[in-house]
C-alpha cells in the first residue's frame, strides 16, 4: 500500500546494496541494454551507475536511507539509459526486514502495465535498523498478522501511547 507521509524525527535507517541484475529484457539496439537501477523511498531516491551493453549488470552499489515512517516499501526500478525504456520493477515492504538482520533478496522484476515486456531479477542486500520506539510496533503487527490478536494487544497499545499517528496509518492501509 502507499504510505501517507508523516514527517517526524528519523526512526530508522535502511542500508541497501544493489548487487546485480540477471537476464534483463533487452531494450536497446543489438539485443542488449544499458541498465541502471533507481532505489526509491517516500522521502528520497538514489540511482546506480549505468552499465553499458549488458543484460546482467553488476552494479554493487551501496546506499543508506533515513526512515521516517514504519510502513512503507522500498522500490527498485530498472531503466535503459539510452532509450529511457522501462526494464522492470520490484518492491519490498520494510516490515519484511523488521528483524533487523541482513537480508539477501533476489527480486523478480515486474511489469508496470500489461504491455511491458519484462524478464529477469535484481539481487539486493538490505538491512533495516530502527529505534526501540518501533520495536513494540513491529512486534505487535507481526503477532496480529499471524492471527495472535490477544497477544498483539499489549505491544500495540504500548506503541499507540508513543505514536498514535503511525498506528492509524497502519490501520488505514
Amino acid at each position: 500500500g502507499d504510505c501517507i507521509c508523516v514527517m517526524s524525527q528519523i526512526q530508522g535507517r535502511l542500508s541497501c546494496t544493489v548487487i546485480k541484475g540477471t537476464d534483463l529484457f533487452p531494450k536497446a539496439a543489438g539485443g542488449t541494454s544499458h541498465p541502471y537501477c533507481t532505489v526509491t523511498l517516500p522521502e528520497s531516491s538514489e540511482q546506480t551507475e549505468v552499465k553499458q551493453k549488458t543484460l546482467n549488470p553488476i552494479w554493487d552499489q551501496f546506499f543508506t536511507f533515513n526512515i521516517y515512517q514504519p510502513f512503507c516499501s522500498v522500490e527498485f526500478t530498472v531503466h535503459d539509459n539510452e532509450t529511457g525504456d522501462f526494464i522492470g520493477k520490484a518492491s519490498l515492504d520494510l516490515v519484511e526486514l523488521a528483524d533487523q538482520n541482513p537480508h539477501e533478496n533476489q527480486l523478480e522484476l515486474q511489469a508496470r502495465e500489461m504491455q511491458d515486456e519484462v524478464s529477469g531479477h535484481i539481487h539486493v542486500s538490505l538491512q533495516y535498523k530502527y529505534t526501540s520506539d518501533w520495536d513494540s510496533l513491529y512486534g505487535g503487527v507481526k503477532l496480529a498478522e499471524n492471527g495472535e490478536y490477544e497477544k498483539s494487544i499489549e505491544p500495540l497499545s504500548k506503541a499507540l501511547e508513543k505514536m498514535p499517528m503511525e498506528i492509524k496509518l497502519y490501520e488505514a492501509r
Side-chain angles (χ1 to χ4, degrees):
D2 291 338
C3 53
I4 309 147
C5 177
V6 181
M7 287 304 276
S8 56
Q9 69 274 51
I10 296 167
Q11 293 280 9
R13 179 157 285 142
L14 178 68
S15 309
C16 168
T17 304
V18 180
I19 303 168
K20 63 180 180 177
T22 49
D23 305 319
L24 303 182
F25 197 89
K27 297 285 180 169
T32 185
S33 263
H34 313 286
Y36 65 91
C37 180
T38 309
V39 186
T40 310
L41 277 131
E43 283 91 15
S44 54
S45 69
E46 295 281 357
Q47 200 171 294
T48 66
E49 291 166 0
V50 175
K51 295 296 173 186
Q52 297 298 331
K53 292 192 177 146
T54 177
L55 300 177
N56 297 287
I58 303 206
W59 290 296
D60 227 350
Q61 279 181 269
F62 177 77
F63 305 109
T64 57
F65 297 92
N66 292 332
I67 305 296
Y68 299 89
Q69 49 205 11
F71 304 113
C72 52
S73 41
V74 51
E75 306 266 346
F76 302 93
T77 316
V78 185
H79 283 93
D80 180 274
N81 188 51
E82 197 172 89
T83 61
D85 286 353
F86 170 81
I87 293 177
K89 67 172 186 139
S91 73
L92 202 63
D93 283 340
L94 286 186
V95 176
E96 295 175 53
L97 307 169
D99 62 7
Q100 307 207 46
N101 295 327
H103 290 255
E104 287 261 343
N105 291 65
Q106 175 177 314
L107 304 172
E108 187 178 352
L109 290 173
Q110 310 283 337
R112 285 174 312 191
E113 294 148 1
M114 289 294 286
Q115 67 269 27
D116 288 332
E117 294 179 288
V118 172
S119 67
H121 293 82
I122 55 165
H123 300 250
V124 293
S125 146
L126 300 153
Q127 187 166 18
Y128 175 38
K129 296 279 194 189
Y130 47 86
T131 63
S132 56
D133 275 5
W134 281 3
D135 275 342
S136 47
L137 183 64
Y138 286 123
V141 165
K142 202 181 176 105
L143 288 166
E145 286 183 347
N146 291 339
E148 301 183 58
Y149 298 109
E150 295 295 305
K151 284 187 190 161
S152 75
I153 291 166
E154 195 200 347
L156 285 176
S157 51
K158 209 164 103 182
L160 189 59
E161 290 164 23
K162 289 187 179 160
M163 49 196 161
M165 272 313 285
E166 275 97 339
I167 301 280
K168 291 196 180 85
L169 285 184
Y170 184 73
E171 287 170 353
R173 280 210 303 183

